[in-house]
């Protein structure tokens, strides 16, 4: 058994004592006014001191978090370097920057269109948030559901801020995304007759969550990676894009690459570029832990912004309600929402439920923060504070063996530290999870301000509005990854690349100087720095 403190053990007994009664009656949902109040008073997005206004670039005057502003207004890694752009090391039709689900989907569809495609990724293909997603992927493909209902759930969950054309595409192309993945070989959970098993997620009015136990992202990424390899699409690993290249017409025409090991600089010429670089959790905004993979440092936002691409909703992040709060070895690791969709309940130190467990993520996270910070009803942990997620309820409500069958990854993650989630509740606290904002795109996936630059996945802003529902991220990497790949696969056929130039980088540097910004912070960041030594 895990070495709990005396305080934690005493609190756990209260949880056990109230369990039978709580299983009979769940906490009721909040009213709309109650939701707004808990968000305004507790959600990190509302902490005004965490933000500053940008002084340069297409979003000049807009507020973003300090950590992002530092990179958007940072020093180019090409400062002081003289590059020969006339002799590119690579010359392709479509350059995909990023090796996750969105990048892989884009590469596959661009290849389908006959394009000469190359993927470049600073780690390895599959080292992405896609691989770490657990709970499932939404699609309205059951008789009692429809894309219209899916739209309403997502639009309301995103505070009515999503771009209509993007959300419309997301929900209407969701059933085909599931079909496509299924045909590629994704092993979805199914009934004996082949019908897909679906469950609820936070903020959903229908059971439309398709899953592969709680390995959904890993299974999807495995399948997409295999398809990329089987097609022979070249993948350049451990090589980061550090600047976009334009041509003399002002259109994106490639990227400057850097080998992460040797620091050698390479030039990639392309008719079309797709940014699929993922999120920003490893920036640890406001000091939060993160569920994100090691390379999630907002690179795509920096690259696009310096090239003139506009950002949308860059001031809003998603803090997943349930990151592991104990033990310290997995602090911040994702505890999938599927745990709550199967029946686990959030309770405080006295064993009292304080929020309906499947409220939208921002409301649930805010309620946990309120319980811990303002009501002093949290439980002290090694790294801070948390609340209980009463996982034994799953077996009471769903029957013995439900946890091992439906969420085996969760059982094993905690089991390694002597915690049996079938018998003991677990301690959780919000963890930085998703980049709601990103580069602004039109319905075909192209940047609204920079021609021949396409964007897919978490680097896109506007799909989900100001909050995302569970299962819509695995969905958007497929829908918008395929969308970008198809669009780029057509666009490149009519592109004639003119002389390559990095004059936009010089212009951005001049704008920084004029604004009085002097910095030694190199951007993009590429990797987080957990040492006392300067970041690479």
């Amino acid at each position: 058994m895990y070495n709990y403190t005396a305080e934690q053990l005493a609190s756990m007994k209260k949880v056990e004592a109230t369990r039978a009664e709580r299983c009979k009656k769940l906490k009721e949902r909040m009213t709309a006014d109650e939701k707004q109040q808990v968000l305004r008073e507790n959600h990190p997005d509302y902490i005004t001191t965490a933000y500053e206004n940008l002084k340069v670039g297409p979003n000049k005057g807009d507020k973003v978090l300090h950590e992002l502003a530092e990179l958007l207004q940072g020093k180019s890694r090409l400062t002081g370097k003289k590059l020969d752009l006339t002799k590119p090391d690579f010359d392709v039709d479509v350059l995909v920057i990023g090796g996750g689900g969105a990048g892989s989907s884009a590469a596959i569809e661009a290849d389908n269109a006959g394009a000469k495609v190359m993927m470049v990724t600073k780690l390895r293909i599959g080292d992405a948030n896609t691989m770490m997603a657990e709970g499932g992927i939404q699609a309205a493909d059951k008789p009692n559901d429809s894309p219209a209902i899916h739209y309403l759930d997502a639009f309301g969950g995103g505070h009515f801020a999503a771009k209509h054309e993007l959300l419309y595409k997301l929900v209407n192309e969701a059933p085909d995304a599931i079909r496509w993945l299924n045909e590629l070989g994704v092993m979805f959970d199914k009934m004996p007759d082949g019908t897909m098993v679906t469950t609820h997620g936070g903020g959903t009015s229908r059971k439309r969550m398709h899953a592969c136990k709680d390995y959904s992202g890993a299974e999807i990424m495995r399948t997409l990676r295999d398809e990329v390899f089987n097609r022979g699409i070249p993948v350049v690993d451990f090589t980061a894009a550090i600047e976009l290249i334009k041509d003399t017409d002002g259109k994106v025409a490639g990227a400057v690459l850097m080998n992460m090991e040797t620091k050698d600089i390479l030039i990639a010429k392309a008719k079309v570029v797709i940014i699929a670089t993922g999120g920003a959790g490893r920036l640890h905004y406001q000091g939060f832990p993160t569920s994100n993979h090691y390379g999630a440092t907002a690179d795509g936002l920096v690259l696009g912004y310096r090239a003139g691409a506009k950002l949308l909703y860059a001031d809003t992040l998603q803090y997943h309600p349930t990151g592991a709060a104990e033990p310290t070895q997995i602090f911040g690791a994702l505890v999938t929402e599927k745990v709550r969709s199967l029946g686990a309940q959030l309770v405080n130190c006295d064993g009292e439920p304080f929020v309906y467990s499947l409220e939208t993520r921002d409301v649930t996270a805010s309620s946990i923060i309120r319980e811990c910070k303002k009501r002093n009803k949290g439980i002290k942990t090694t790294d801070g504070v948390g609340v209980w997620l009463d996982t034994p309820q799953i077996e009471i409500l769903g029957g013995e063996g439900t946890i091992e069958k439906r969420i085996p990854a969760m059982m094993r993650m905690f089991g390694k530290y002597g915690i049996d989630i079938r018998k003991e509740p677990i301690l959780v606290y919000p963890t930085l999870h998703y980049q709601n904002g990103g580069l602004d795109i039109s319905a075909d996936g192209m940047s609204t301000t920079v021609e021949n630059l396409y964007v897919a996945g978490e680097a896109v802003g506007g799909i989900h509005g100001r909050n995302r529902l569970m299962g819509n991220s695995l969905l958007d990497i497929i829908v918008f990854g395929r969308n970008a790949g198809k669009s780029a696969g057509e666009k490149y056929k009519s592109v004639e690349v003119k002389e390559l130039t990095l004059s936009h980088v010089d212009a951005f540097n001049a704008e920084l100087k004029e604004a009085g910004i002097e910095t030694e912070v190199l951007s993009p960041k590429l990797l987080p720095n957990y040492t006392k030594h300067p970041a690479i």
Side-chain angles (χ1 to χ4, degrees):
M1 184 175 178
Y2 182 70
N3 187 26
Y4 291 105
T5 65
E7 180 183 343
Q8 290 170 343
L9 288 171
S11 178
M12 191 186 297
K13 288 187 180 297
K14 294 179 181 180
V15 174
E16 293 167 352
T18 60
R19 186 174 292 142
E21 187 62 31
R22 286 187 285 102
C23 283
K24 294 176 185 177
K25 185 179 180 181
L26 298 178
K27 180 74 174 177
E28 294 180 359
R29 302 195 70 164
M30 294 181 185
T31 65
D33 288 343
E34 288 171 335
K35 290 179 183 180
Q36 286 303 313
Q37 182 177 352
V38 76
L39 287 170
R40 284 194 304 269
E41 295 178 355
N42 300 279
H43 197 278
D45 279 358
Y46 289 80
I47 300 175
T48 57
T49 55
Y51 293 85
E52 64 184 85
N53 294 325
L54 291 170
K55 297 179 180 178
V56 299
N59 288 80
K60 181 180 179 179
D62 289 356
K63 69 171 187 176
V64 297
L65 287 149
H66 298 309
E67 297 90 340
L68 182 58
E70 182 179 62
L71 296 177
L72 292 176
Q73 300 175 152
K75 182 178 179 180
S76 172
R77 290 177 175 271
L78 297 183
T79 302
K81 290 183 169 64
K82 296 292 184 181
L83 303 182
D84 183 0
L85 302 182
T86 64
K87 298 177 181 178
D89 301 277
F90 305 100
D91 191 346
V92 297
D93 298 323
V94 177
L95 175 67
V96 179
I97 303 173
S104 298
S105 297
I108 291 166
E109 290 293 6
D111 182 69
N112 267 342
K116 181 182 178 183
V117 184
M118 184 176 80
M119 295 178 68
V120 59
T121 175
K122 65 183 177 184
L123 297 174
R124 300 166 299 178
I125 183 171
D127 286 334
N129 282 343
T130 303
M131 189 73 184
M132 304 175 78
E134 297 165 343
I137 176 171
Q138 284 202 50
D141 58 3
K142 292 291 181 71
N144 70 331
D145 203 359
S146 71
I149 298 173
H150 188 178
Y151 182 101
L152 291 173
D153 287 347
F155 196 49
H159 301 287
F160 309 99
K163 286 186 72 170
H164 165 72
E165 61 270 32
L166 302 187
L167 184 54
Y168 182 88
K169 178 180 283 288
L170 181 78
V171 300
N172 279 282
E173 296 185 12
D176 187 60
I178 297 295
R179 179 199 58 76
W180 186 67
L181 290 172
N182 190 52
E183 290 178 355
L184 284 178
V186 172
M187 298 175 68
F188 287 108
D189 296 340
K190 297 177 181 177
M191 303 292 285
D193 66 356
T195 303
M196 290 198 187
V197 176
T198 52
T199 58
H200 272 300
T204 63
S205 60
R206 298 290 188 276
K207 292 183 178 181
R208 69 173 72 95
M209 205 68 56
H210 302 64
C212 316
K213 295 183 169 54
D214 54 350
Y215 298 104
S216 300
E219 171 60 11
I220 289 171
M221 192 67 245
R222 175 196 68 82
T223 306
L224 294 175
R225 183 187 58 193
D226 285 353
E227 184 68 13
V228 168
F229 287 159
N230 289 341
R231 287 171 173 267
I233 297 171
V235 180
V236 183
D237 287 328
F238 299 112
T239 301
I242 59 172
E243 210 69 75
L244 293 177
I245 298 171
K246 288 185 171 183
D247 67 10
T248 49
D249 281 348
K251 301 173 183 177
V252 164
V256 179
L257 312 178
M258 183 182 78
N259 184 294
M260 295 292 286
E261 296 173 320
T262 65
K263 305 300 183 290
D264 288 343
I265 299 297
L266 303 166
I267 305 299
K269 180 181 178 182
K271 296 177 179 177
V272 174
V273 174
I274 300 174
I275 285 179
T277 51
R282 290 288 166 173
L283 297 185
H284 293 287
Y285 293 116
Q286 301 191 52
F288 268 81
T290 185
S291 63
N292 283 192
H293 82 105
Y294 191 56
T297 51
D299 293 355
L301 274 59
V302 174
L303 295 173
Y305 195 71
R306 205 139 54 208
K310 189 177 180 181
L311 300 172
L312 182 63
Y313 303 147
D315 59 320
T316 173
L317 281 295
Q318 181 171 89
Y319 300 80
H320 195 289
T322 53
E326 193 83 85
T328 191
Q329 294 94 329
I330 53 172
F331 181 55
L334 181 64
V335 177
T336 173
E337 194 164 303
K338 190 173 182 180
V339 176
R340 285 176 283 134
S341 73
L342 291 174
Q345 193 175 33
L346 290 162
V347 293
N348 63 25
C349 63
D350 294 324
E352 302 164 337
F354 57 89
V355 64
Y356 174 67
S357 292
L358 285 178
E359 291 285 6
T360 55
R361 285 179 171 176
D362 54 352
V363 171
T364 308
S366 298
S367 299
I368 293 171
I369 293 171
R370 177 181 64 182
E371 206 70 9
C372 294
K373 303 292 187 182
K374 294 189 177 174
R375 293 181 174 174
N376 294 318
K377 291 279 190 174
I379 302 96
K380 289 182 181 178
T381 66
T382 305
D383 297 285
V385 67
V387 297
W388 294 109
L389 182 57
D390 196 11
T391 49
Q393 282 185 293
I394 295 173
E395 304 261 295
I396 294 171
L397 298 171
E400 187 177 347
T402 300
I403 286 177
E404 186 168 12
K405 180 181 179 182
R406 302 294 297 277
I407 47 172
M410 290 292 96
M411 191 177 81
R412 293 184 181 116
M413 182 170 78
F414 283 93
K416 286 192 291 186
Y417 304 99
I419 299 172
D420 187 345
I421 68 172
R422 296 169 298 185
K423 300 175 182 178
E424 308 162 47
I426 55 180
L427 287 162
V428 297
Y429 191 78
T431 185
L432 186 54
H433 186 59
Y434 191 81
Q435 179 178 270
N436 289 324
L439 298 169
D440 191 15
I441 63 169
S442 52
D444 66 355
M446 189 187 292
S447 163
T448 56
T449 52
V450 181
E451 192 168 348
N452 296 343
L453 177 64
Y454 291 81
V455 193
E458 198 171 339
V460 174
I463 299 173
H464 310 286
R466 292 185 169 274
N467 180 58
R468 178 181 62 79
L469 299 187
M470 169 192 179
N472 279 348
S473 59
L474 280 179
L475 177 59
D476 89 47
I477 65 171
I478 303 303
V479 169
F480 286 93
R482 295 181 72 195
N483 178 53
K486 290 175 182 178
S487 297
E490 288 302 314
K491 177 69 173 175
Y492 88 90
K493 298 172 184 177
S494 60
V495 172
E496 181 182 346
V497 178
K498 301 294 179 62
E499 182 183 349
L500 302 185
T501 176
L502 287 167
S503 59
H504 62 284
V505 178
D506 295 332
F508 192 85
N509 288 338
E511 192 176 354
L512 289 174
K513 186 176 181 180
E514 187 177 342
I517 297 174
E518 295 183 8
T519 178
E520 292 303 314
V521 174
L522 293 176
S523 70
K525 190 181 185 76
L526 301 183
L527 293 176
N529 179 25
Y530 295 111
T531 74
K532 294 181 180 180
H533 301 289
I536 67 167

